[in-house]
Amino acid sequence: VKRIAAEADGQAYDIVIGGSIGQLPQHMARVAPSGTRVGVVADASIAASYGRTLRRGLNRAGFYTRLLVVPSGEGSKTLRQAERLLRSCARAGLDRQSWLVALGGGVIGDLAGFVAATYLRGVSLVQVPTTLLAQVDASIGGKTGVDIPEGKNLVGCFYQPWLVWIDPTVLRTLPKAHWRNGLAEVIKYGAVQDSALFGDLEKGGAALFRGFSARWTRIIACCAAIKARIVEKDPLETQGLRALLNFGHSVGHALEAATGYRRYLHGEAVSIGMYAAAWVSEQMGLLKPVERIRLGTLLSRAGLPIRAPVPVRRSRLMEFLERDKKVKEASVRFVLLERLGRATSGHRVSPVILDRALSACGL
Ligand SMILES: NC(=O)c1ccc[n+]([C@@H]2O[C@H](COP(=O)([O-])OP(=O)(O)OC[C@H]3O[C@@H](n4cnc5c(N)ncnc54)[C@H](O)[C@@H]3O)[C@@H](O)[C@H]2O)c1
Ligand SMILES: [Zn+2]
């Protein structure tokens, strides 16, 4: 079991990697008095399996529990579901000393995190991420929120958890597409921050990417530590450091939006986006061609696309690309690679270079 001491926004908390879901109640019982109320938020497919195990353990440890179930999928990240959960919390008699446990992928983490931040102006939150993406990314950093019809993640707040409890063995049941989704973020951490991690992923071979094995616990811990370290230095995304984690995400988000969030999983779009950003880096003389090729090879080996199989109308892509730049300035700015393991943010990219990179990625 690995423990990472994290701090953000003046709040210290632990990220524990390698403890089982069954061990979490004992851990919580050490700080919370018996009889404390706990709301476990899970989506429909997790509630029946891990939700029941967790609830039984919590009851045995002396907690009073309520399982709060929402439908699976991004469609549940709404104000309507948040209101439903808030009202369930009130009806279950949760008070200021109560806890909310977010058991599931990033959808549940964002939604339950938002509810924990706003119910009674904040109750203690435990993140129990169950997807690879949530374990290495979404559960760490305190970003919570929901979508509105005008756009994804437009409503929310920063709210740090009290604990992040990562049980990597639950990834054994994760559907393959969602596994690959998380692989894109893992490769991203190696590319922007950690050449040793990148090298380990290359050495791991195809078998490493096939699915969960014991080797993954160390890799997940490594990624979680990178995210925690970056968030600690730049908790509210004001210093440009946290922006490094957006590598590949400008083009990725634009591609997801331009295709109505139907054609690509987030990780697939980001994979193409990372490769496009590597092309831009190369064209601007920052990155050696051989390193751009290494990134492409690793992404492909993970089963991720580096070229769009079907082109997207360029004007539509550019419209979303410019909108994604958060209206901060007119020109599109990029996170670019200087080498594998080192990225820098805020690069202005000329339309000619961007055009060439997008074309190289089939866009
Ligand atoms: N807060 C952040 O910093 C942050 C960062 C990245 C992404 N996100 C958000 O995360 C969301 C995406 O999260 P996600 O990819 O985890 O999707 P998700 O939460 O929808 O989970 C994916 C699917 O896998 C199922 N599932 C989860 N764990 C499982 C397991 N162990 N075994 C079997 N099935 C399992 C779920 O029921 C769901 O159907 C997006 O809404 C995104 O905006 C947030
Ligand atoms: Zn991402």
Side-chain angles (χ1 to χ4, degrees), residues 43 45-46 74 77 105-107 110 130-131 133 137-138 143 153 170 173-175 178 181 227:
D43 72 23
S45 60
I46 296 295
E74 185 74 25
K77 258 178 69 173
V107 165
D110 282 10
T130 62
T131 63
L133 177 128
D137 186 357
K143 279 191 189 173
N153 298 320
V170 302
T173 57
L174 189 66
H178 288 289
N181 210 22
K227 173 108 192 223

mmCIF file with all atom_site columns, all heavy atoms in Angstrom, residues 43 45-46 74 77 105-107 110 130-131 133 137-138 143 153 170 173-175 178 181 227, ligand 1:
data_model
loop_
_atom_site.group_PDB
_atom_site.id
_atom_site.type_symbol
_atom_site.label_atom_id
_atom_site.label_alt_id
_atom_site.label_comp_id
_atom_site.label_asym_id
_atom_site.label_entity_id
_atom_site.label_seq_id
_atom_site.pdbx_PDB_ins_code
_atom_site.Cartn_x
_atom_site.Cartn_y
_atom_site.Cartn_z
_atom_site.occupancy
_atom_site.B_iso_or_equiv
_atom_site.pdbx_formal_charge
_atom_site.auth_seq_id
_atom_site.auth_comp_id
_atom_site.auth_asym_id
_atom_site.auth_atom_id
_atom_site.pdbx_PDB_model_num
ATOM   1   N N   . ASP A 1 43  ? -22.893 4.839  -9.441  1.00 0.00 ? 43  ASP A N   1
ATOM   2   C CA  . ASP A 1 43  ? -23.803 4.690  -10.587 1.00 0.00 ? 43  ASP A CA  1
ATOM   3   C C   . ASP A 1 43  ? -24.368 3.277  -10.587 1.00 0.00 ? 43  ASP A C   1
ATOM   4   O O   . ASP A 1 43  ? -23.904 2.394  -9.856  1.00 0.00 ? 43  ASP A O   1
ATOM   5   C CB  . ASP A 1 43  ? -23.168 5.128  -11.912 1.00 0.00 ? 43  ASP A CB  1
ATOM   6   C CG  . ASP A 1 43  ? -22.115 4.180  -12.445 1.00 0.00 ? 43  ASP A CG  1
ATOM   7   O OD1 . ASP A 1 43  ? -22.132 2.979  -12.087 1.00 0.00 ? 43  ASP A OD1 1
ATOM   8   O OD2 . ASP A 1 43  ? -21.269 4.631  -13.228 1.00 0.00 ? 43  ASP A OD2 1
ATOM   9   N N   . SER A 1 45  ? -24.284 0.632  -12.360 1.00 0.00 ? 45  SER A N   1
ATOM   10  C CA  . SER A 1 45  ? -23.538 -0.607 -12.571 1.00 0.00 ? 45  SER A CA  1
ATOM   11  C C   . SER A 1 45  ? -22.527 -0.868 -11.451 1.00 0.00 ? 45  SER A C   1
ATOM   12  O O   . SER A 1 45  ? -22.149 -2.017 -11.225 1.00 0.00 ? 45  SER A O   1
ATOM   13  C CB  . SER A 1 45  ? -22.844 -0.592 -13.947 1.00 0.00 ? 45  SER A CB  1
ATOM   14  O OG  . SER A 1 45  ? -21.957 0.479  -14.039 1.00 0.00 ? 45  SER A OG  1
ATOM   15  N N   . ILE A 1 46  ? -22.101 0.146  -10.747 1.00 0.00 ? 46  ILE A N   1
ATOM   16  C CA  . ILE A 1 46  ? -21.146 -0.031 -9.654  1.00 0.00 ? 46  ILE A CA  1
ATOM   17  C C   . ILE A 1 46  ? -21.864 -0.346 -8.337  1.00 0.00 ? 46  ILE A C   1
ATOM   18  O O   . ILE A 1 46  ? -21.359 -1.077 -7.489  1.00 0.00 ? 46  ILE A O   1
ATOM   19  C CB  . ILE A 1 46  ? -20.303 1.261  -9.478  1.00 0.00 ? 46  ILE A CB  1
ATOM   20  C CG1 . ILE A 1 46  ? -19.457 1.510  -10.714 1.00 0.00 ? 46  ILE A CG1 1
ATOM   21  C CG2 . ILE A 1 46  ? -19.424 1.199  -8.242  1.00 0.00 ? 46  ILE A CG2 1
ATOM   22  C CD1 . ILE A 1 46  ? -18.425 0.459  -10.944 1.00 0.00 ? 46  ILE A CD1 1
ATOM   23  N N   . GLU A 1 74  ? -22.264 9.972  -18.670 1.00 0.00 ? 74  GLU A N   1
ATOM   24  C CA  . GLU A 1 74  ? -22.112 11.426 -18.613 1.00 0.00 ? 74  GLU A CA  1
ATOM   25  C C   . GLU A 1 74  ? -23.447 12.146 -18.442 1.00 0.00 ? 74  GLU A C   1
ATOM   26  O O   . GLU A 1 74  ? -23.506 13.228 -17.852 1.00 0.00 ? 74  GLU A O   1
ATOM   27  C CB  . GLU A 1 74  ? -21.390 11.897 -19.897 1.00 0.00 ? 74  GLU A CB  1
ATOM   28  C CG  . GLU A 1 74  ? -21.048 13.369 -19.966 1.00 0.00 ? 74  GLU A CG  1
ATOM   29  C CD  . GLU A 1 74  ? -19.887 13.788 -19.073 1.00 0.00 ? 74  GLU A CD  1
ATOM   30  O OE1 . GLU A 1 74  ? -19.037 12.934 -18.743 1.00 0.00 ? 74  GLU A OE1 1
ATOM   31  O OE2 . GLU A 1 74  ? -19.831 14.969 -18.699 1.00 0.00 ? 74  GLU A OE2 1
ATOM   32  N N   . LYS A 1 77  ? -24.341 13.859 -15.178 1.00 0.00 ? 77  LYS A N   1
ATOM   33  C CA  . LYS A 1 77  ? -23.639 15.029 -14.619 1.00 0.00 ? 77  LYS A CA  1
ATOM   34  C C   . LYS A 1 77  ? -24.473 16.285 -14.860 1.00 0.00 ? 77  LYS A C   1
ATOM   35  O O   . LYS A 1 77  ? -24.103 17.154 -15.633 1.00 0.00 ? 77  LYS A O   1
ATOM   36  C CB  . LYS A 1 77  ? -22.249 15.173 -15.261 1.00 0.00 ? 77  LYS A CB  1
ATOM   37  C CG  . LYS A 1 77  ? -21.129 14.678 -14.351 1.00 0.00 ? 77  LYS A CG  1
ATOM   38  C CD  . LYS A 1 77  ? -19.773 14.783 -14.992 1.00 0.00 ? 77  LYS A CD  1
ATOM   39  C CE  . LYS A 1 77  ? -19.279 16.203 -15.187 1.00 0.00 ? 77  LYS A CE  1
ATOM   40  N NZ  . LYS A 1 77  ? -17.884 16.229 -15.673 1.00 0.00 ? 77  LYS A NZ  1
ATOM   41  N N   . GLY A 1 105 ? -16.546 6.171  -11.476 1.00 0.00 ? 105 GLY A N   1
ATOM   42  C CA  . GLY A 1 105 ? -15.640 6.857  -12.383 1.00 0.00 ? 105 GLY A CA  1
ATOM   43  C C   . GLY A 1 105 ? -15.707 8.367  -12.201 1.00 0.00 ? 105 GLY A C   1
ATOM   44  O O   . GLY A 1 105 ? -16.252 8.872  -11.221 1.00 0.00 ? 105 GLY A O   1
ATOM   45  N N   . GLY A 1 106 ? -15.162 9.087  -13.176 1.00 0.00 ? 106 GLY A N   1
ATOM   46  C CA  . GLY A 1 106 ? -15.101 10.537 -13.102 1.00 0.00 ? 106 GLY A CA  1
ATOM   47  C C   . GLY A 1 106 ? -16.463 11.209 -13.044 1.00 0.00 ? 106 GLY A C   1
ATOM   48  O O   . GLY A 1 106 ? -16.608 12.280 -12.450 1.00 0.00 ? 106 GLY A O   1
ATOM   49  N N   . VAL A 1 107 ? -17.460 10.582 -13.651 1.00 0.00 ? 107 VAL A N   1
ATOM   50  C CA  . VAL A 1 107 ? -18.805 11.152 -13.619 1.00 0.00 ? 107 VAL A CA  1
ATOM   51  C C   . VAL A 1 107 ? -19.292 11.237 -12.171 1.00 0.00 ? 107 VAL A C   1
ATOM   52  O O   . VAL A 1 107 ? -19.764 12.286 -11.715 1.00 0.00 ? 107 VAL A O   1
ATOM   53  C CB  . VAL A 1 107 ? -19.776 10.313 -14.483 1.00 0.00 ? 107 VAL A CB  1
ATOM   54  C CG1 . VAL A 1 107 ? -21.223 10.648 -14.176 1.00 0.00 ? 107 VAL A CG1 1
ATOM   55  C CG2 . VAL A 1 107 ? -19.475 10.529 -15.968 1.00 0.00 ? 107 VAL A CG2 1
ATOM   56  N N   . ASP A 1 110 ? -17.128 13.760 -10.036 1.00 0.00 ? 110 ASP A N   1
ATOM   57  C CA  . ASP A 1 110 ? -17.462 15.170 -10.280 1.00 0.00 ? 110 ASP A CA  1
ATOM   58  C C   . ASP A 1 110 ? -18.813 15.535 -9.679  1.00 0.00 ? 110 ASP A C   1
ATOM   59  O O   . ASP A 1 110 ? -18.973 16.589 -9.058  1.00 0.00 ? 110 ASP A O   1
ATOM   60  C CB  . ASP A 1 110 ? -17.499 15.462 -11.791 1.00 0.00 ? 110 ASP A CB  1
ATOM   61  C CG  . ASP A 1 110 ? -16.095 15.617 -12.380 1.00 0.00 ? 110 ASP A CG  1
ATOM   62  O OD1 . ASP A 1 110 ? -15.113 15.315 -11.674 1.00 0.00 ? 110 ASP A OD1 1
ATOM   63  O OD2 . ASP A 1 110 ? -15.988 16.045 -13.543 1.00 0.00 ? 110 ASP A OD2 1
ATOM   64  N N   . THR A 1 130 ? -13.048 4.309  -9.527  1.00 0.00 ? 130 THR A N   1
ATOM   65  C CA  . THR A 1 130 ? -13.059 2.920  -10.000 1.00 0.00 ? 130 THR A CA  1
ATOM   66  C C   . THR A 1 130 ? -12.700 2.773  -11.476 1.00 0.00 ? 130 THR A C   1
ATOM   67  O O   . THR A 1 130 ? -12.694 1.659  -12.000 1.00 0.00 ? 130 THR A O   1
ATOM   68  C CB  . THR A 1 130 ? -14.442 2.268  -9.770  1.00 0.00 ? 130 THR A CB  1
ATOM   69  O OG1 . THR A 1 130 ? -15.416 2.992  -10.524 1.00 0.00 ? 130 THR A OG1 1
ATOM   70  C CG2 . THR A 1 130 ? -14.825 2.255  -8.302  1.00 0.00 ? 130 THR A CG2 1
ATOM   71  N N   . THR A 1 131 ? -12.460 3.878  -12.189 1.00 0.00 ? 131 THR A N   1
ATOM   72  C CA  . THR A 1 131 ? -11.952 3.760  -13.565 1.00 0.00 ? 131 THR A CA  1
ATOM   73  C C   . THR A 1 131 ? -10.481 4.186  -13.552 1.00 0.00 ? 131 THR A C   1
ATOM   74  O O   . THR A 1 131 ? -10.042 4.906  -12.652 1.00 0.00 ? 131 THR A O   1
ATOM   75  C CB  . THR A 1 131 ? -12.715 4.666  -14.560 1.00 0.00 ? 131 THR A CB  1
ATOM   76  O OG1 . THR A 1 131 ? -12.525 6.036  -14.183 1.00 0.00 ? 131 THR A OG1 1
ATOM   77  C CG2 . THR A 1 131 ? -14.194 4.346  -14.604 1.00 0.00 ? 131 THR A CG2 1
ATOM   78  N N   . LEU A 1 133 ? -9.107  6.259  -15.566 1.00 0.00 ? 133 LEU A N   1
ATOM   79  C CA  . LEU A 1 133 ? -9.089  7.717  -15.736 1.00 0.00 ? 133 LEU A CA  1
ATOM   80  C C   . LEU A 1 133 ? -9.316  8.437  -14.404 1.00 0.00 ? 133 LEU A C   1
ATOM   81  O O   . LEU A 1 133 ? -8.641  9.403  -14.075 1.00 0.00 ? 133 LEU A O   1
ATOM   82  C CB  . LEU A 1 133 ? -10.141 8.156  -16.759 1.00 0.00 ? 133 LEU A CB  1
ATOM   83  C CG  . LEU A 1 133 ? -10.250 9.671  -16.956 1.00 0.00 ? 133 LEU A CG  1
ATOM   84  C CD1 . LEU A 1 133 ? -10.160 10.032 -18.423 1.00 0.00 ? 133 LEU A CD1 1
ATOM   85  C CD2 . LEU A 1 133 ? -11.502 10.242 -16.339 1.00 0.00 ? 133 LEU A CD2 1
ATOM   86  N N   . ASP A 1 137 ? -6.472  10.615 -12.545 1.00 0.00 ? 137 ASP A N   1
ATOM   87  C CA  . ASP A 1 137 ? -6.735  12.002 -12.929 1.00 0.00 ? 137 ASP A CA  1
ATOM   88  C C   . ASP A 1 137 ? -7.905  12.628 -12.167 1.00 0.00 ? 137 ASP A C   1
ATOM   89  O O   . ASP A 1 137 ? -7.704  13.466 -11.265 1.00 0.00 ? 137 ASP A O   1
ATOM   90  C CB  . ASP A 1 137 ? -6.971  12.057 -14.455 1.00 0.00 ? 137 ASP A CB  1
ATOM   91  C CG  . ASP A 1 137 ? -7.107  13.456 -15.011 1.00 0.00 ? 137 ASP A CG  1
ATOM   92  O OD1 . ASP A 1 137 ? -7.085  14.427 -14.221 1.00 0.00 ? 137 ASP A OD1 1
ATOM   93  O OD2 . ASP A 1 137 ? -7.244  13.611 -16.235 1.00 0.00 ? 137 ASP A OD2 1
ATOM   94  N N   . ALA A 1 138 ? -9.133  12.209 -12.485 1.00 0.00 ? 138 ALA A N   1
ATOM   95  C CA  . ALA A 1 138 ? -10.316 12.950 -12.038 1.00 0.00 ? 138 ALA A CA  1
ATOM   96  C C   . ALA A 1 138 ? -10.484 13.031 -10.520 1.00 0.00 ? 138 ALA A C   1
ATOM   97  O O   . ALA A 1 138 ? -10.995 14.019 -10.006 1.00 0.00 ? 138 ALA A O   1
ATOM   98  C CB  . ALA A 1 138 ? -11.573 12.350 -12.673 1.00 0.00 ? 138 ALA A CB  1
ATOM   99  N N   . LYS A 1 143 ? -11.365 19.311 -8.553  1.00 0.00 ? 143 LYS A N   1
ATOM   100 C CA  . LYS A 1 143 ? -12.336 19.907 -9.484  1.00 0.00 ? 143 LYS A CA  1
ATOM   101 C C   . LYS A 1 143 ? -13.610 19.091 -9.431  1.00 0.00 ? 143 LYS A C   1
ATOM   102 O O   . LYS A 1 143 ? -13.584 17.881 -9.638  1.00 0.00 ? 143 LYS A O   1
ATOM   103 C CB  . LYS A 1 143 ? -11.791 19.878 -10.913 1.00 0.00 ? 143 LYS A CB  1
ATOM   104 C CG  . LYS A 1 143 ? -10.831 20.994 -11.231 1.00 0.00 ? 143 LYS A CG  1
ATOM   105 C CD  . LYS A 1 143 ? -10.588 21.016 -12.736 1.00 0.00 ? 143 LYS A CD  1
ATOM   106 C CE  . LYS A 1 143 ? -9.465  21.960 -13.099 1.00 0.00 ? 143 LYS A CE  1
ATOM   107 N NZ  . LYS A 1 143 ? -9.115  21.849 -14.529 1.00 0.00 ? 143 LYS A NZ  1
ATOM   108 N N   . ASN A 1 153 ? -18.902 20.736 -17.994 1.00 0.00 ? 153 ASN A N   1
ATOM   109 C CA  . ASN A 1 153 ? -18.165 21.250 -16.828 1.00 0.00 ? 153 ASN A CA  1
ATOM   110 C C   . ASN A 1 153 ? -18.274 22.758 -16.629 1.00 0.00 ? 153 ASN A C   1
ATOM   111 O O   . ASN A 1 153 ? -17.358 23.385 -16.101 1.00 0.00 ? 153 ASN A O   1
ATOM   112 C CB  . ASN A 1 153 ? -16.676 20.880 -16.924 1.00 0.00 ? 153 ASN A CB  1
ATOM   113 C CG  . ASN A 1 153 ? -16.454 19.377 -16.924 1.00 0.00 ? 153 ASN A CG  1
ATOM   114 O OD1 . ASN A 1 153 ? -17.124 18.656 -16.190 1.00 0.00 ? 153 ASN A OD1 1
ATOM   115 N ND2 . ASN A 1 153 ? -15.551 18.908 -17.745 1.00 0.00 ? 153 ASN A ND2 1
ATOM   116 N N   . VAL A 1 170 ? -10.038 -3.166 -8.792  1.00 0.00 ? 170 VAL A N   1
ATOM   117 C CA  . VAL A 1 170 ? -11.384 -3.026 -9.386  1.00 0.00 ? 170 VAL A CA  1
ATOM   118 C C   . VAL A 1 170 ? -11.294 -2.813 -10.898 1.00 0.00 ? 170 VAL A C   1
ATOM   119 O O   . VAL A 1 170 ? -12.292 -2.979 -11.613 1.00 0.00 ? 170 VAL A O   1
ATOM   120 C CB  . VAL A 1 170 ? -12.218 -1.880 -8.752  1.00 0.00 ? 170 VAL A CB  1
ATOM   121 C CG1 . VAL A 1 170 ? -12.387 -2.087 -7.256  1.00 0.00 ? 170 VAL A CG1 1
ATOM   122 C CG2 . VAL A 1 170 ? -11.609 -0.516 -9.046  1.00 0.00 ? 170 VAL A CG2 1
ATOM   123 N N   . THR A 1 173 ? -12.559 -5.358 -13.787 1.00 0.00 ? 173 THR A N   1
ATOM   124 C CA  . THR A 1 173 ? -13.893 -5.451 -14.396 1.00 0.00 ? 173 THR A CA  1
ATOM   125 C C   . THR A 1 173 ? -14.206 -4.277 -15.316 1.00 0.00 ? 173 THR A C   1
ATOM   126 O O   . THR A 1 173 ? -15.302 -4.191 -15.870 1.00 0.00 ? 173 THR A O   1
ATOM   127 C CB  . THR A 1 173 ? -14.986 -5.521 -13.298 1.00 0.00 ? 173 THR A CB  1
ATOM   128 O OG1 . THR A 1 173 ? -14.862 -4.361 -12.456 1.00 0.00 ? 173 THR A OG1 1
ATOM   129 C CG2 . THR A 1 173 ? -14.845 -6.770 -12.444 1.00 0.00 ? 173 THR A CG2 1
ATOM   130 N N   . LEU A 1 174 ? -13.256 -3.372 -15.468 1.00 0.00 ? 174 LEU A N   1
ATOM   131 C CA  . LEU A 1 174 ? -13.505 -2.178 -16.291 1.00 0.00 ? 174 LEU A CA  1
ATOM   132 C C   . LEU A 1 174 ? -13.597 -2.552 -17.768 1.00 0.00 ? 174 LEU A C   1
ATOM   133 O O   . LEU A 1 174 ? -12.725 -3.243 -18.290 1.00 0.00 ? 174 LEU A O   1
ATOM   134 C CB  . LEU A 1 174 ? -12.361 -1.177 -16.081 1.00 0.00 ? 174 LEU A CB  1
ATOM   135 C CG  . LEU A 1 174 ? -12.536 0.218  -16.682 1.00 0.00 ? 174 LEU A CG  1
ATOM   136 C CD1 . LEU A 1 174 ? -13.676 0.960  -15.984 1.00 0.00 ? 174 LEU A CD1 1
ATOM   137 C CD2 . LEU A 1 174 ? -11.246 1.018  -16.568 1.00 0.00 ? 174 LEU A CD2 1
ATOM   138 N N   . PRO A 1 175 ? -14.652 -2.110 -18.470 1.00 0.00 ? 175 PRO A N   1
ATOM   139 C CA  . PRO A 1 175 ? -14.758 -2.407 -19.909 1.00 0.00 ? 175 PRO A CA  1
ATOM   140 C C   . PRO A 1 175 ? -13.527 -1.885 -20.661 1.00 0.00 ? 175 PRO A C   1
ATOM   141 O O   . PRO A 1 175 ? -12.994 -0.829 -20.328 1.00 0.00 ? 175 PRO A O   1
ATOM   142 C CB  . PRO A 1 175 ? -16.017 -1.657 -20.343 1.00 0.00 ? 175 PRO A CB  1
ATOM   143 C CG  . PRO A 1 175 ? -16.821 -1.472 -19.095 1.00 0.00 ? 175 PRO A CG  1
ATOM   144 C CD  . PRO A 1 175 ? -15.829 -1.357 -17.979 1.00 0.00 ? 175 PRO A CD  1
ATOM   145 N N   . HIS A 1 178 ? -13.054 1.776  -21.735 1.00 0.00 ? 178 HIS A N   1
ATOM   146 C CA  . HIS A 1 178 ? -12.748 2.705  -20.644 1.00 0.00 ? 178 HIS A CA  1
ATOM   147 C C   . HIS A 1 178 ? -11.333 2.517  -20.120 1.00 0.00 ? 178 HIS A C   1
ATOM   148 O O   . HIS A 1 178 ? -10.709 3.445  -19.618 1.00 0.00 ? 178 HIS A O   1
ATOM   149 C CB  . HIS A 1 178 ? -13.784 2.575  -19.532 1.00 0.00 ? 178 HIS A CB  1
ATOM   150 C CG  . HIS A 1 178 ? -15.112 3.155  -19.926 1.00 0.00 ? 178 HIS A CG  1
ATOM   151 N ND1 . HIS A 1 178 ? -15.309 4.502  -20.059 1.00 0.00 ? 178 HIS A ND1 1
ATOM   152 C CD2 . HIS A 1 178 ? -16.269 2.560  -20.293 1.00 0.00 ? 178 HIS A CD2 1
ATOM   153 C CE1 . HIS A 1 178 ? -16.552 4.721  -20.456 1.00 0.00 ? 178 HIS A CE1 1
ATOM   154 N NE2 . HIS A 1 178 ? -17.152 3.562  -20.617 1.00 0.00 ? 178 HIS A NE2 1
ATOM   155 N N   . ASN A 1 181 ? -9.269  4.493  -22.473 1.00 0.00 ? 181 ASN A N   1
ATOM   156 C CA  . ASN A 1 181 ? -9.530  5.887  -22.160 1.00 0.00 ? 181 ASN A CA  1
ATOM   157 C C   . ASN A 1 181 ? -8.539  6.400  -21.106 1.00 0.00 ? 181 ASN A C   1
ATOM   158 O O   . ASN A 1 181 ? -7.957  7.473  -21.242 1.00 0.00 ? 181 ASN A O   1
ATOM   159 C CB  . ASN A 1 181 ? -10.953 5.942  -21.588 1.00 0.00 ? 181 ASN A CB  1
ATOM   160 C CG  . ASN A 1 181 ? -11.644 7.229  -21.865 1.00 0.00 ? 181 ASN A CG  1
ATOM   161 O OD1 . ASN A 1 181 ? -11.292 7.945  -22.797 1.00 0.00 ? 181 ASN A OD1 1
ATOM   162 N ND2 . ASN A 1 181 ? -12.619 7.545  -21.050 1.00 0.00 ? 181 ASN A ND2 1
ATOM   163 N N   . LYS A 1 227 ? 0.043   14.131 -10.536 1.00 0.00 ? 227 LYS A N   1
ATOM   164 C CA  . LYS A 1 227 ? -1.113  15.033 -10.514 1.00 0.00 ? 227 LYS A CA  1
ATOM   165 C C   . LYS A 1 227 ? -1.161  15.787 -9.183  1.00 0.00 ? 227 LYS A C   1
ATOM   166 O O   . LYS A 1 227 ? -1.373  17.005 -9.153  1.00 0.00 ? 227 LYS A O   1
ATOM   167 C CB  . LYS A 1 227 ? -2.407  14.247 -10.728 1.00 0.00 ? 227 LYS A CB  1
ATOM   168 C CG  . LYS A 1 227 ? -3.665  15.087 -10.541 1.00 0.00 ? 227 LYS A CG  1
ATOM   169 C CD  . LYS A 1 227 ? -4.393  15.398 -11.818 1.00 0.00 ? 227 LYS A CD  1
ATOM   170 C CE  . LYS A 1 227 ? -5.465  16.469 -11.613 1.00 0.00 ? 227 LYS A CE  1
ATOM   171 N NZ  . LYS A 1 227 ? -6.725  16.182 -12.277 1.00 0.00 ? 227 LYS A NZ  1
HETATM 172 N N1  . LIG B 2 .   ? -12.460 16.467 -11.940 1.00 0.00 ? 1   LIG B N1  1
HETATM 173 C C1  . LIG B 2 .   ? -11.466 16.294 -12.783 1.00 0.00 ? 1   LIG B C1  1
HETATM 174 O O1  . LIG B 2 .   ? -10.366 16.803 -12.580 1.00 0.00 ? 1   LIG B O1  1
HETATM 175 C C2  . LIG B 2 .   ? -11.696 15.484 -14.010 1.00 0.00 ? 1   LIG B C2  1
HETATM 176 C C3  . LIG B 2 .   ? -10.607 15.076 -14.795 1.00 0.00 ? 1   LIG B C3  1
HETATM 177 C C4  . LIG B 2 .   ? -10.838 14.272 -15.903 1.00 0.00 ? 1   LIG B C4  1
HETATM 178 C C5  . LIG B 2 .   ? -12.140 13.887 -16.213 1.00 0.00 ? 1   LIG B C5  1
HETATM 179 N N2  . LIG B 2 .   ? -13.176 14.297 -15.457 1.00 0.00 ? 1   LIG B N2  1
HETATM 180 C C6  . LIG B 2 .   ? -14.561 13.887 -15.762 1.00 0.00 ? 1   LIG B C6  1
HETATM 181 O O2  . LIG B 2 .   ? -14.640 12.481 -15.661 1.00 0.00 ? 1   LIG B O2  1
HETATM 182 C C7  . LIG B 2 .   ? -15.736 12.024 -16.445 1.00 0.00 ? 1   LIG B C7  1
HETATM 183 C C8  . LIG B 2 .   ? -15.329 10.744 -17.161 1.00 0.00 ? 1   LIG B C8  1
HETATM 184 O O3  . LIG B 2 .   ? -15.014 9.776  -16.202 1.00 0.00 ? 1   LIG B O3  1
HETATM 185 P P1  . LIG B 2 .   ? -14.863 8.227  -16.565 1.00 0.00 ? 1   LIG B P1  1
HETATM 186 O O4  . LIG B 2 .   ? -14.144 8.093  -17.840 1.00 0.00 ? 1   LIG B O4  1
HETATM 187 O O5  . LIG B 2 .   ? -14.334 7.565  -15.360 1.00 0.00 ? 1   LIG B O5  1
HETATM 188 O O6  . LIG B 2 .   ? -16.368 7.786  -16.912 1.00 0.00 ? 1   LIG B O6  1
HETATM 189 P P2  . LIG B 2 .   ? -17.568 7.164  -16.042 1.00 0.00 ? 1   LIG B P2  1
HETATM 190 O O7  . LIG B 2 .   ? -17.572 7.681  -14.672 1.00 0.00 ? 1   LIG B O7  1
HETATM 191 O O8  . LIG B 2 .   ? -18.791 7.358  -16.839 1.00 0.00 ? 1   LIG B O8  1
HETATM 192 O O9  . LIG B 2 .   ? -17.224 5.604  -16.004 1.00 0.00 ? 1   LIG B O9  1
HETATM 193 C C9  . LIG B 2 .   ? -17.192 4.898  -17.195 1.00 0.00 ? 1   LIG B C9  1
HETATM 194 C C10 . LIG B 2 .   ? -18.093 3.658  -17.183 1.00 0.00 ? 1   LIG B C10 1
HETATM 195 O O10 . LIG B 2 .   ? -17.419 2.592  -16.525 1.00 0.00 ? 1   LIG B O10 1
HETATM 196 C C11 . LIG B 2 .   ? -18.233 1.996  -15.531 1.00 0.00 ? 1   LIG B C11 1
HETATM 197 N N3  . LIG B 2 .   ? -17.321 1.570  -14.478 1.00 0.00 ? 1   LIG B N3  1
HETATM 198 C C12 . LIG B 2 .   ? -16.635 2.371  -13.639 1.00 0.00 ? 1   LIG B C12 1
HETATM 199 N N4  . LIG B 2 .   ? -15.790 1.657  -12.903 1.00 0.00 ? 1   LIG B N4  1
HETATM 200 C C13 . LIG B 2 .   ? -15.940 0.366  -13.255 1.00 0.00 ? 1   LIG B C13 1
HETATM 201 C C14 . LIG B 2 .   ? -15.331 -0.851 -12.838 1.00 0.00 ? 1   LIG B C14 1
HETATM 202 N N5  . LIG B 2 .   ? -14.351 -0.880 -11.932 1.00 0.00 ? 1   LIG B N5  1
HETATM 203 N N6  . LIG B 2 .   ? -15.759 -2.004 -13.392 1.00 0.00 ? 1   LIG B N6  1
HETATM 204 C C15 . LIG B 2 .   ? -16.735 -1.976 -14.342 1.00 0.00 ? 1   LIG B C15 1
HETATM 205 N N7  . LIG B 2 .   ? -17.325 -0.860 -14.791 1.00 0.00 ? 1   LIG B N7  1
HETATM 206 C C16 . LIG B 2 .   ? -16.931 0.302  -14.258 1.00 0.00 ? 1   LIG B C16 1
HETATM 207 C C17 . LIG B 2 .   ? -19.223 3.067  -15.164 1.00 0.00 ? 1   LIG B C17 1
HETATM 208 O O11 . LIG B 2 .   ? -20.405 2.510  -14.687 1.00 0.00 ? 1   LIG B O11 1
HETATM 209 C C18 . LIG B 2 .   ? -19.426 3.816  -16.479 1.00 0.00 ? 1   LIG B C18 1
HETATM 210 O O12 . LIG B 2 .   ? -20.408 3.190  -17.238 1.00 0.00 ? 1   LIG B O12 1
HETATM 211 C C19 . LIG B 2 .   ? -16.109 13.165 -17.370 1.00 0.00 ? 1   LIG B C19 1
HETATM 212 O O13 . LIG B 2 .   ? -17.337 13.705 -16.975 1.00 0.00 ? 1   LIG B O13 1
HETATM 213 C C20 . LIG B 2 .   ? -14.994 14.187 -17.172 1.00 0.00 ? 1   LIG B C20 1
HETATM 214 O O14 . LIG B 2 .   ? -15.450 15.525 -17.310 1.00 0.00 ? 1   LIG B O14 1
HETATM 215 C C21 . LIG B 2 .   ? -12.969 15.079 -14.360 1.00 0.00 ? 1   LIG B C21 1
#
